[in-house]
Amino acid sequence: MDNIQNESATDGRFAKGLTWLGIALIVFGVLAVIFPLATTIAAKVFIGWLFIVAGGFQIWQSFSTREWGGFLWNLLIGLLYLVVGCWLAFDPFSGIIGLTVLLAITFIAQGIMEAVMANNLRPKTGWGWMMFSGLIGILAGVLIISGLPSTAVWAVGLMVGVNMISSGFAFFTLGSAAKALGEKSS
């Protein structure tokens, strides 16, 4: 079984697929960084549609189990999802500040957790980088919150773009490694 997995992992198509995925993510990430407001709005509208679909399913499910004691609450949750989803999806500029605050709070919380982890790892190798990453996360979150409402225009889109670029480099590197592994095994 391992031989089959190793053969497929070193197959030329597999390596090319990873490489092209990496390139695509890098290109889309760069576009997201260049156009952060458009990316922020697209991300917010996408989240809105997720809420609309989830709300529709929740409402449908509540009516398909009317006998259940939680019918009313299930229906109300579905309606809440539907209303919030419509608000996010159909009013492009609404909710951007809330989404930005959520992003900033996430950065601060992640930064605090990384700093605590780094402190627990000290004096092991790499603890300093973890602490640095934690402090950067906290700083980024504080800067985003302190710059509201103007940071709402670019913060989410920029972070989506940076994440796509980072993932793109990771997939590109995996594709290159798989290609090199395939060439060695040939």
Side-chain angles (χ1 to χ4, degrees):
M1 183 86 159
D2 287 338
N3 288 340
I4 294 171
Q5 287 177 341
N6 287 339
E7 287 175 21
S8 66
T10 58
D11 179 71
R13 290 175 296 164
F14 178 76
K16 281 183 185 176
L18 287 175
T19 302
W20 281 108
L21 174 61
I23 291 169
L25 286 172
I26 291 168
V27 168
F28 290 132
V30 168
L31 289 172
V33 168
I34 292 171
F35 303 108
L37 177 60
T39 304
T40 298
I41 291 170
K44 187 193 77 58
V45 169
F46 178 73
I47 291 168
W49 277 102
L50 290 177
F51 270 86
I52 290 170
V53 170
F57 276 116
Q58 185 104 20
I59 292 167
W60 171 79
Q61 193 277 334
S62 69
F63 279 107
S64 66
T65 57
R66 276 184 239 178
E67 309 80 41
W68 178 51
F71 163 77
L72 179 61
W73 291 108
N74 203 18
L75 177 64
L76 289 174
I77 292 168
L79 289 171
L80 175 66
Y81 276 23
L82 197 61
V83 168
V84 169
C86 287
W87 175 60
L88 290 171
F90 299 119
D91 189 359
F93 291 101
S94 69
I96 291 177
I97 291 177
L99 193 57
T100 305
V101 169
L102 180 62
L103 177 72
I105 290 170
T106 302
F107 284 168
I108 293 169
Q110 178 185 353
I112 291 169
M113 288 182 228
E114 286 181 352
V116 169
M117 186 187 329
N119 193 47
N120 290 339
L121 291 173
R122 191 172 45 171
K124 294 180 181 157
T125 304
W127 79 270
W129 286 109
M130 183 63 69
M131 181 63 77
F132 179 72
S133 175
L135 295 176
I136 292 296
I138 294 168
L139 180 63
V142 169
L143 288 174
I144 289 169
I145 286 177
S146 67
L148 283 172
S150 65
T151 54
V153 175
W154 57 264
V156 174
L158 179 68
M159 296 306 143
V160 167
V162 168
N163 184 43
M164 290 178 103
I165 291 169
S166 172
S167 295
F169 277 114
F171 280 110
F172 184 83
T173 303
L174 282 175
S176 298
K179 181 181 177 189
L181 189 60
E183 290 171 356
K184 283 183 184 180
S185 66
S186 296

